[in-house]
Amino acid sequence: FWGHRGKGRFWTWALALAAYNAGSGHVRGEIREFGVTDFWAMGAYGALYDDARAYATRILATAVIARTSSTL
């Protein structure tokens, strides 16, 4: 499964998801250029493509909803 390798390569699930959407080379290049490995900070710098940031955010939100909906 790509996600397990991606998370190890990109430190967080959010960055791994963004890399899956935008391409790992793009995300690695932005990490090198900005020196930041925090998904939310990279979004603030405009380092990630808008669609990659939106994709990762939607997947993470879906995971949170799925996890918490079983407790409702």
PDB file of all heavy atoms in Angstrom, residues 19-51:
ATOM      1  N   ALA A  19       1.361  14.373  -1.665  1.00  0.00           N
ATOM      2  CA  ALA A  19       2.331  13.825  -2.616  1.00  0.00           C
ATOM      3  C   ALA A  19       1.663  12.828  -3.554  1.00  0.00           C
ATOM      4  O   ALA A  19       1.998  12.766  -4.740  1.00  0.00           O
ATOM      5  CB  ALA A  19       3.485  13.164  -1.875  1.00  0.00           C
ATOM      6  N   TYR A  20       0.729  12.060  -3.053  1.00  0.00           N
ATOM      7  CA  TYR A  20      -0.004  11.126  -3.893  1.00  0.00           C
ATOM      8  C   TYR A  20      -0.773  11.881  -4.969  1.00  0.00           C
ATOM      9  O   TYR A  20      -0.824  11.486  -6.124  1.00  0.00           O
ATOM     10  CB  TYR A  20      -0.960  10.295  -3.038  1.00  0.00           C
ATOM     11  CG  TYR A  20      -1.819   9.347  -3.835  1.00  0.00           C
ATOM     12  CD1 TYR A  20      -1.282   8.157  -4.320  1.00  0.00           C
ATOM     13  CD2 TYR A  20      -3.142   9.643  -4.110  1.00  0.00           C
ATOM     14  CE1 TYR A  20      -2.059   7.282  -5.070  1.00  0.00           C
ATOM     15  CE2 TYR A  20      -3.924   8.780  -4.858  1.00  0.00           C
ATOM     16  CZ  TYR A  20      -3.376   7.603  -5.333  1.00  0.00           C
ATOM     17  OH  TYR A  20      -4.151   6.750  -6.075  1.00  0.00           O
ATOM     18  N   ASN A  21      -1.356  13.028  -4.589  1.00  0.00           N
ATOM     19  CA  ASN A  21      -2.159  13.800  -5.521  1.00  0.00           C
ATOM     20  C   ASN A  21      -1.309  14.644  -6.464  1.00  0.00           C
ATOM     21  O   ASN A  21      -1.560  14.677  -7.656  1.00  0.00           O
ATOM     22  CB  ASN A  21      -3.132  14.692  -4.741  1.00  0.00           C
ATOM     23  CG  ASN A  21      -4.061  15.449  -5.653  1.00  0.00           C
ATOM     24  OD1 ASN A  21      -3.763  16.569  -6.024  1.00  0.00           O
ATOM     25  ND2 ASN A  21      -5.169  14.826  -6.012  1.00  0.00           N
ATOM     26  N   ALA A  22      -0.296  15.311  -5.940  1.00  0.00           N
ATOM     27  CA  ALA A  22       0.488  16.261  -6.732  1.00  0.00           C
ATOM     28  C   ALA A  22       1.743  15.651  -7.333  1.00  0.00           C
ATOM     29  O   ALA A  22       2.339  16.234  -8.233  1.00  0.00           O
ATOM     30  CB  ALA A  22       0.881  17.456  -5.862  1.00  0.00           C
ATOM     31  N   GLY A  23       2.155  14.524  -6.799  1.00  0.00           N
ATOM     32  CA  GLY A  23       3.399  13.911  -7.235  1.00  0.00           C
ATOM     33  C   GLY A  23       4.453  14.067  -6.161  1.00  0.00           C
ATOM     34  O   GLY A  23       4.617  15.158  -5.598  1.00  0.00           O
ATOM     35  N   SER A  24       5.145  12.981  -5.886  1.00  0.00           N
ATOM     36  CA  SER A  24       6.118  13.018  -4.798  1.00  0.00           C
ATOM     37  C   SER A  24       7.273  13.970  -5.101  1.00  0.00           C
ATOM     38  O   SER A  24       7.788  14.626  -4.200  1.00  0.00           O
ATOM     39  CB  SER A  24       6.642  11.617  -4.496  1.00  0.00           C
ATOM     40  OG  SER A  24       7.272  11.071  -5.634  1.00  0.00           O
ATOM     41  N   GLY A  25       7.665  14.077  -6.365  1.00  0.00           N
ATOM     42  CA  GLY A  25       8.755  14.986  -6.723  1.00  0.00           C
ATOM     43  C   GLY A  25       8.413  16.431  -6.427  1.00  0.00           C
ATOM     44  O   GLY A  25       9.256  17.202  -5.955  1.00  0.00           O
ATOM     45  N   HIS A  26       7.167  16.807  -6.683  1.00  0.00           N
ATOM     46  CA  HIS A  26       6.744  18.182  -6.398  1.00  0.00           C
ATOM     47  C   HIS A  26       6.815  18.473  -4.900  1.00  0.00           C
ATOM     48  O   HIS A  26       7.360  19.490  -4.482  1.00  0.00           O
ATOM     49  CB  HIS A  26       5.326  18.429  -6.910  1.00  0.00           C
ATOM     50  CG  HIS A  26       4.767  19.741  -6.482  1.00  0.00           C
ATOM     51  ND1 HIS A  26       5.221  20.934  -6.993  1.00  0.00           N
ATOM     52  CD2 HIS A  26       3.828  20.056  -5.563  1.00  0.00           C
ATOM     53  CE1 HIS A  26       4.564  21.923  -6.406  1.00  0.00           C
ATOM     54  NE2 HIS A  26       3.715  21.405  -5.537  1.00  0.00           N
ATOM     55  N   VAL A  27       6.254  17.569  -4.110  1.00  0.00           N
ATOM     56  CA  VAL A  27       6.227  17.800  -2.662  1.00  0.00           C
ATOM     57  C   VAL A  27       7.650  17.791  -2.097  1.00  0.00           C
ATOM     58  O   VAL A  27       8.005  18.648  -1.287  1.00  0.00           O
ATOM     59  CB  VAL A  27       5.318  16.778  -1.951  1.00  0.00           C
ATOM     60  CG1 VAL A  27       5.414  16.917  -0.437  1.00  0.00           C
ATOM     61  CG2 VAL A  27       3.875  16.962  -2.402  1.00  0.00           C
ATOM     62  N   ARG A  28       8.481  16.856  -2.536  1.00  0.00           N
ATOM     63  CA  ARG A  28       9.879  16.843  -2.066  1.00  0.00           C
ATOM     64  C   ARG A  28      10.599  18.133  -2.435  1.00  0.00           C
ATOM     65  O   ARG A  28      11.345  18.699  -1.635  1.00  0.00           O
ATOM     66  CB  ARG A  28      10.623  15.656  -2.659  1.00  0.00           C
ATOM     67  CG  ARG A  28      10.448  14.391  -1.898  1.00  0.00           C
ATOM     68  CD  ARG A  28      11.428  13.345  -2.370  1.00  0.00           C
ATOM     69  NE  ARG A  28      11.386  13.247  -3.822  1.00  0.00           N
ATOM     70  CZ  ARG A  28      11.022  12.176  -4.496  1.00  0.00           C
ATOM     71  NH1 ARG A  28      10.721  11.074  -3.871  1.00  0.00           N
ATOM     72  NH2 ARG A  28      10.976  12.167  -5.804  1.00  0.00           N
ATOM     73  N   GLY A  29      10.364  18.624  -3.642  1.00  0.00           N
ATOM     74  CA  GLY A  29      10.984  19.878  -4.065  1.00  0.00           C
ATOM     75  C   GLY A  29      10.542  21.059  -3.217  1.00  0.00           C
ATOM     76  O   GLY A  29      11.345  21.924  -2.868  1.00  0.00           O
ATOM     77  N   GLU A  30       9.269  21.090  -2.884  1.00  0.00           N
ATOM     78  CA  GLU A  30       8.754  22.177  -2.046  1.00  0.00           C
ATOM     79  C   GLU A  30       9.306  22.079  -0.625  1.00  0.00           C
ATOM     80  O   GLU A  30       9.600  23.100   0.006  1.00  0.00           O
ATOM     81  CB  GLU A  30       7.228  22.176  -2.039  1.00  0.00           C
ATOM     82  CG  GLU A  30       6.607  22.427  -3.392  1.00  0.00           C
ATOM     83  CD  GLU A  30       6.986  23.775  -3.972  1.00  0.00           C
ATOM     84  OE1 GLU A  30       7.016  24.771  -3.236  1.00  0.00           O
ATOM     85  OE2 GLU A  30       7.255  23.834  -5.184  1.00  0.00           O
ATOM     86  N   ILE A  31       9.477  20.864  -0.125  1.00  0.00           N
ATOM     87  CA  ILE A  31      10.078  20.688   1.200  1.00  0.00           C
ATOM     88  C   ILE A  31      11.503  21.225   1.183  1.00  0.00           C
ATOM     89  O   ILE A  31      11.921  21.951   2.089  1.00  0.00           O
ATOM     90  CB  ILE A  31      10.044  19.206   1.635  1.00  0.00           C
ATOM     91  CG1 ILE A  31       8.605  18.793   1.959  1.00  0.00           C
ATOM     92  CG2 ILE A  31      10.959  18.952   2.825  1.00  0.00           C
ATOM     93  CD1 ILE A  31       8.413  17.303   2.163  1.00  0.00           C
ATOM     94  N   ARG A  32      12.246  20.907   0.126  1.00  0.00           N
ATOM     95  CA  ARG A  32      13.625  21.412   0.018  1.00  0.00           C
ATOM     96  C   ARG A  32      13.648  22.928  -0.115  1.00  0.00           C
ATOM     97  O   ARG A  32      14.443  23.604   0.527  1.00  0.00           O
ATOM     98  CB  ARG A  32      14.331  20.791  -1.191  1.00  0.00           C
ATOM     99  CG  ARG A  32      14.920  19.440  -0.928  1.00  0.00           C
ATOM    100  CD  ARG A  32      15.874  19.023  -2.025  1.00  0.00           C
ATOM    101  NE  ARG A  32      15.234  18.952  -3.333  1.00  0.00           N
ATOM    102  CZ  ARG A  32      14.622  17.882  -3.831  1.00  0.00           C
ATOM    103  NH1 ARG A  32      14.582  16.769  -3.125  1.00  0.00           N
ATOM    104  NH2 ARG A  32      14.068  17.909  -5.023  1.00  0.00           N
ATOM    105  N   GLU A  33      12.764  23.470  -0.952  1.00  0.00           N
ATOM    106  CA  GLU A  33      12.761  24.912  -1.201  1.00  0.00           C
ATOM    107  C   GLU A  33      12.370  25.712   0.031  1.00  0.00           C
ATOM    108  O   GLU A  33      12.998  26.714   0.358  1.00  0.00           O
ATOM    109  CB  GLU A  33      11.806  25.251  -2.339  1.00  0.00           C
ATOM    110  CG  GLU A  33      11.777  26.726  -2.678  1.00  0.00           C
ATOM    111  CD  GLU A  33      10.869  27.048  -3.848  1.00  0.00           C
ATOM    112  OE1 GLU A  33      10.571  26.141  -4.661  1.00  0.00           O
ATOM    113  OE2 GLU A  33      10.452  28.222  -3.939  1.00  0.00           O
ATOM    114  N   PHE A  34      11.328  25.285   0.723  1.00  0.00           N
ATOM    115  CA  PHE A  34      10.826  26.046   1.860  1.00  0.00           C
ATOM    116  C   PHE A  34      11.423  25.605   3.187  1.00  0.00           C
ATOM    117  O   PHE A  34      11.306  26.309   4.181  1.00  0.00           O
ATOM    118  CB  PHE A  34       9.297  25.964   1.921  1.00  0.00           C
ATOM    119  CG  PHE A  34       8.623  26.742   0.832  1.00  0.00           C
ATOM    120  CD1 PHE A  34       8.260  26.129  -0.357  1.00  0.00           C
ATOM    121  CD2 PHE A  34       8.372  28.089   0.978  1.00  0.00           C
ATOM    122  CE1 PHE A  34       7.648  26.838  -1.371  1.00  0.00           C
ATOM    123  CE2 PHE A  34       7.760  28.821  -0.025  1.00  0.00           C
ATOM    124  CZ  PHE A  34       7.402  28.186  -1.207  1.00  0.00           C
ATOM    125  N   GLY A  35      12.019  24.416   3.229  1.00  0.00           N
ATOM    126  CA  GLY A  35      12.600  23.917   4.471  1.00  0.00           C
ATOM    127  C   GLY A  35      11.565  23.628   5.534  1.00  0.00           C
ATOM    128  O   GLY A  35      11.862  23.670   6.725  1.00  0.00           O
ATOM    129  N   VAL A  36      10.353  23.329   5.108  1.00  0.00           N
ATOM    130  CA  VAL A  36       9.247  23.085   6.029  1.00  0.00           C
ATOM    131  C   VAL A  36       8.670  21.709   5.736  1.00  0.00           C
ATOM    132  O   VAL A  36       8.463  21.358   4.584  1.00  0.00           O
ATOM    133  CB  VAL A  36       8.150  24.161   5.849  1.00  0.00           C
ATOM    134  CG1 VAL A  36       6.951  23.875   6.714  1.00  0.00           C
ATOM    135  CG2 VAL A  36       8.703  25.535   6.162  1.00  0.00           C
ATOM    136  N   THR A  37       8.416  20.925   6.781  1.00  0.00           N
ATOM    137  CA  THR A  37       7.812  19.612   6.593  1.00  0.00           C
ATOM    138  C   THR A  37       6.427  19.522   7.220  1.00  0.00           C
ATOM    139  O   THR A  37       5.900  18.433   7.393  1.00  0.00           O
ATOM    140  CB  THR A  37       8.710  18.504   7.184  1.00  0.00           C
ATOM    141  OG1 THR A  37       8.913  18.774   8.567  1.00  0.00           O
ATOM    142  CG2 THR A  37      10.036  18.418   6.463  1.00  0.00           C
ATOM    143  N   ASP A  38       5.846  20.646   7.542  1.00  0.00           N
ATOM    144  CA  ASP A  38       4.510  20.683   8.117  1.00  0.00           C
ATOM    145  C   ASP A  38       3.497  21.008   7.010  1.00  0.00           C
ATOM    146  O   ASP A  38       3.604  22.046   6.357  1.00  0.00           O
ATOM    147  CB  ASP A  38       4.465  21.732   9.224  1.00  0.00           C
ATOM    148  CG  ASP A  38       3.093  21.844   9.839  1.00  0.00           C
ATOM    149  OD1 ASP A  38       2.743  20.975  10.649  1.00  0.00           O
ATOM    150  OD2 ASP A  38       2.365  22.790   9.484  1.00  0.00           O
ATOM    151  N   PHE A  39       2.545  20.119   6.804  1.00  0.00           N
ATOM    152  CA  PHE A  39       1.546  20.283   5.752  1.00  0.00           C
ATOM    153  C   PHE A  39       0.828  21.621   5.848  1.00  0.00           C
ATOM    154  O   PHE A  39       0.656  22.326   4.860  1.00  0.00           O
ATOM    155  CB  PHE A  39       0.538  19.128   5.838  1.00  0.00           C
ATOM    156  CG  PHE A  39      -0.640  19.281   4.927  1.00  0.00           C
ATOM    157  CD1 PHE A  39      -0.525  18.972   3.592  1.00  0.00           C
ATOM    158  CD2 PHE A  39      -1.863  19.702   5.418  1.00  0.00           C
ATOM    159  CE1 PHE A  39      -1.620  19.100   2.735  1.00  0.00           C
ATOM    160  CE2 PHE A  39      -2.956  19.829   4.586  1.00  0.00           C
ATOM    161  CZ  PHE A  39      -2.833  19.533   3.245  1.00  0.00           C
ATOM    162  N   TRP A  40       0.400  21.994   7.042  1.00  0.00           N
ATOM    163  CA  TRP A  40      -0.388  23.213   7.210  1.00  0.00           C
ATOM    164  C   TRP A  40       0.469  24.451   6.956  1.00  0.00           C
ATOM    165  O   TRP A  40      -0.008  25.422   6.370  1.00  0.00           O
ATOM    166  CB  TRP A  40      -1.021  23.242   8.594  1.00  0.00           C
ATOM    167  CG  TRP A  40      -1.826  21.999   8.824  1.00  0.00           C
ATOM    168  CD1 TRP A  40      -1.495  20.962   9.652  1.00  0.00           C
ATOM    169  CD2 TRP A  40      -3.040  21.620   8.169  1.00  0.00           C
ATOM    170  NE1 TRP A  40      -2.443  19.978   9.565  1.00  0.00           N
ATOM    171  CE2 TRP A  40      -3.410  20.344   8.666  1.00  0.00           C
ATOM    172  CE3 TRP A  40      -3.853  22.229   7.220  1.00  0.00           C
ATOM    173  CZ2 TRP A  40      -4.551  19.681   8.243  1.00  0.00           C
ATOM    174  CZ3 TRP A  40      -4.992  21.559   6.795  1.00  0.00           C
ATOM    175  CH2 TRP A  40      -5.334  20.311   7.311  1.00  0.00           C
ATOM    176  N   ALA A  41       1.721  24.435   7.378  1.00  0.00           N
ATOM    177  CA  ALA A  41       2.621  25.561   7.101  1.00  0.00           C
ATOM    178  C   ALA A  41       2.895  25.664   5.604  1.00  0.00           C
ATOM    179  O   ALA A  41       2.937  26.766   5.055  1.00  0.00           O
ATOM    180  CB  ALA A  41       3.929  25.405   7.873  1.00  0.00           C
ATOM    181  N   MET A  42       3.077  24.528   4.944  1.00  0.00           N
ATOM    182  CA  MET A  42       3.318  24.555   3.504  1.00  0.00           C
ATOM    183  C   MET A  42       2.120  25.137   2.765  1.00  0.00           C
ATOM    184  O   MET A  42       2.276  25.867   1.798  1.00  0.00           O
ATOM    185  CB  MET A  42       3.632  23.150   2.987  1.00  0.00           C
ATOM    186  CG  MET A  42       4.986  22.662   3.433  1.00  0.00           C
ATOM    187  SD  MET A  42       5.333  21.002   2.864  1.00  0.00           S
ATOM    188  CE  MET A  42       5.791  21.344   1.165  1.00  0.00           C
ATOM    189  N   GLY A  43       0.932  24.837   3.254  1.00  0.00           N
ATOM    190  CA  GLY A  43      -0.266  25.416   2.654  1.00  0.00           C
ATOM    191  C   GLY A  43      -0.296  26.923   2.823  1.00  0.00           C
ATOM    192  O   GLY A  43      -0.678  27.661   1.914  1.00  0.00           O
ATOM    193  N   ALA A  44       0.130  27.400   3.987  1.00  0.00           N
ATOM    194  CA  ALA A  44       0.165  28.838   4.248  1.00  0.00           C
ATOM    195  C   ALA A  44       1.176  29.542   3.341  1.00  0.00           C
ATOM    196  O   ALA A  44       0.955  30.679   2.919  1.00  0.00           O
ATOM    197  CB  ALA A  44       0.506  29.101   5.716  1.00  0.00           C
ATOM    198  N   TYR A  45       2.282  28.868   3.031  1.00  0.00           N
ATOM    199  CA  TYR A  45       3.287  29.439   2.126  1.00  0.00           C
ATOM    200  C   TYR A  45       2.856  29.363   0.669  1.00  0.00           C
ATOM    201  O   TYR A  45       3.493  29.941  -0.198  1.00  0.00           O
ATOM    202  CB  TYR A  45       4.629  28.685   2.251  1.00  0.00           C
ATOM    203  CG  TYR A  45       5.401  28.966   3.502  1.00  0.00           C
ATOM    204  CD1 TYR A  45       5.720  27.928   4.367  1.00  0.00           C
ATOM    205  CD2 TYR A  45       5.827  30.238   3.822  1.00  0.00           C
ATOM    206  CE1 TYR A  45       6.443  28.152   5.522  1.00  0.00           C
ATOM    207  CE2 TYR A  45       6.546  30.480   4.976  1.00  0.00           C
ATOM    208  CZ  TYR A  45       6.850  29.434   5.823  1.00  0.00           C
ATOM    209  OH  TYR A  45       7.562  29.668   6.959  1.00  0.00           O
ATOM    210  N   GLY A  46       1.824  28.607   0.388  1.00  0.00           N
ATOM    211  CA  GLY A  46       1.416  28.394  -0.991  1.00  0.00           C
ATOM    212  C   GLY A  46       2.309  27.397  -1.708  1.00  0.00           C
ATOM    213  O   GLY A  46       2.412  27.404  -2.926  1.00  0.00           O
ATOM    214  N   ALA A  47       2.974  26.543  -0.933  1.00  0.00           N
ATOM    215  CA  ALA A  47       3.934  25.602  -1.494  1.00  0.00           C
ATOM    216  C   ALA A  47       3.268  24.408  -2.161  1.00  0.00           C
ATOM    217  O   ALA A  47       3.888  23.753  -2.985  1.00  0.00           O
ATOM    218  CB  ALA A  47       4.881  25.112  -0.404  1.00  0.00           C
ATOM    219  N   LEU A  48       2.028  24.133  -1.833  1.00  0.00           N
ATOM    220  CA  LEU A  48       1.333  22.984  -2.409  1.00  0.00           C
ATOM    221  C   LEU A  48       0.294  23.458  -3.409  1.00  0.00           C
ATOM    222  O   LEU A  48      -0.297  24.527  -3.255  1.00  0.00           O
ATOM    223  CB  LEU A  48       0.637  22.180  -1.303  1.00  0.00           C
ATOM    224  CG  LEU A  48       1.546  21.587  -0.241  1.00  0.00           C
ATOM    225  CD1 LEU A  48       0.717  21.013   0.893  1.00  0.00           C
ATOM    226  CD2 LEU A  48       2.443  20.524  -0.850  1.00  0.00           C
ATOM    227  N   TYR A  49       0.068  22.636  -4.421  1.00  0.00           N
ATOM    228  CA  TYR A  49      -1.008  22.940  -5.362  1.00  0.00           C
ATOM    229  C   TYR A  49      -2.328  22.985  -4.598  1.00  0.00           C
ATOM    230  O   TYR A  49      -2.536  22.223  -3.655  1.00  0.00           O
ATOM    231  CB  TYR A  49      -1.114  21.861  -6.436  1.00  0.00           C
ATOM    232  CG  TYR A  49       0.085  21.712  -7.335  1.00  0.00           C
ATOM    233  CD1 TYR A  49       0.542  20.450  -7.687  1.00  0.00           C
ATOM    234  CD2 TYR A  49       0.755  22.812  -7.845  1.00  0.00           C
ATOM    235  CE1 TYR A  49       1.625  20.287  -8.529  1.00  0.00           C
ATOM    236  CE2 TYR A  49       1.843  22.660  -8.679  1.00  0.00           C
ATOM    237  CZ  TYR A  49       2.268  21.402  -9.020  1.00  0.00           C
ATOM    238  OH  TYR A  49       3.333  21.240  -9.853  1.00  0.00           O
ATOM    239  N   ASP A  50      -3.212  23.876  -5.022  1.00  0.00           N
ATOM    240  CA  ASP A  50      -4.502  23.995  -4.348  1.00  0.00           C
ATOM    241  C   ASP A  50      -5.268  22.674  -4.347  1.00  0.00           C
ATOM    242  O   ASP A  50      -5.857  22.302  -3.340  1.00  0.00           O
ATOM    243  CB  ASP A  50      -5.367  25.074  -5.011  1.00  0.00           C
ATOM    244  CG  ASP A  50      -4.841  26.474  -4.764  1.00  0.00           C
ATOM    245  OD1 ASP A  50      -4.073  26.678  -3.806  1.00  0.00           O
ATOM    246  OD2 ASP A  50      -5.220  27.385  -5.540  1.00  0.00           O
ATOM    247  N   ASP A  51      -5.254  21.968  -5.477  1.00  0.00           N
ATOM    248  CA  ASP A  51      -6.009  20.713  -5.522  1.00  0.00           C
ATOM    249  C   ASP A  51      -5.377  19.643  -4.648  1.00  0.00           C
ATOM    250  O   ASP A  51      -6.086  18.832  -4.049  1.00  0.00           O
ATOM    251  CB  ASP A  51      -6.191  20.215  -6.958  1.00  0.00           C
ATOM    252  CG  ASP A  51      -4.882  19.962  -7.680  1.00  0.00           C
ATOM    253  OD1 ASP A  51      -3.865  20.571  -7.330  1.00  0.00           O
ATOM    254  OD2 ASP A  51      -4.891  19.132  -8.616  1.00  0.00           O
TER     255      ASP A  51
END
